Amino acid sequence: PYLEQISRNLQSHSQSALTGPWMRGDQKTIEKNQSALAPTSFSDLYNDFVHLYQTDREARKAADQRSPA
């Protein structure tokens, strides 16, 4: 259910779709989640979300730096 909701959120409003450790930048929790999911079929999906969020976050930072204050 959690991953399904994230997927729906990403489709409808990607800027605010992810919550929890993603928004807090809590890398330690993200790594713990990755370790816990490693032996399951959800591992690749979770890692894709990690990559998507990090890429989006970096793009937004770059855009903020380019825009005039």
Side-chain angles (χ1 to χ4, degrees):
Y2 174 70
L3 293 177
E4 289 173 1
Q5 184 61 49
I6 290 174
S7 179
R8 285 192 295 272
N9 289 350
L10 284 169
Q11 292 172 4
S12 63
H13 47 282
S14 62
Q15 293 294 327
S16 60
L18 301 175
T19 60
W22 313 89
M23 295 305 291
R24 296 190 308 268
D26 185 350
Q27 190 63 33
K28 191 173 190 175
T29 297
I30 291 170
E31 289 171 5
K32 284 181 181 180
N33 291 344
Q34 288 172 313
S35 293
L37 290 170
T40 72
S41 60
F42 292 107
S43 178
D44 288 341
L45 180 60
Y46 189 85
N47 290 332
D48 286 345
F49 279 121
V50 170
H51 179 73
L52 173 69
Y53 179 71
Q54 289 172 340
T55 301
D56 182 64
R57 188 176 186 178
E58 290 168 7
R60 282 188 277 140
K61 272 186 180 178
D64 288 346
Q65 290 175 350
R66 286 191 303 266
S67 64

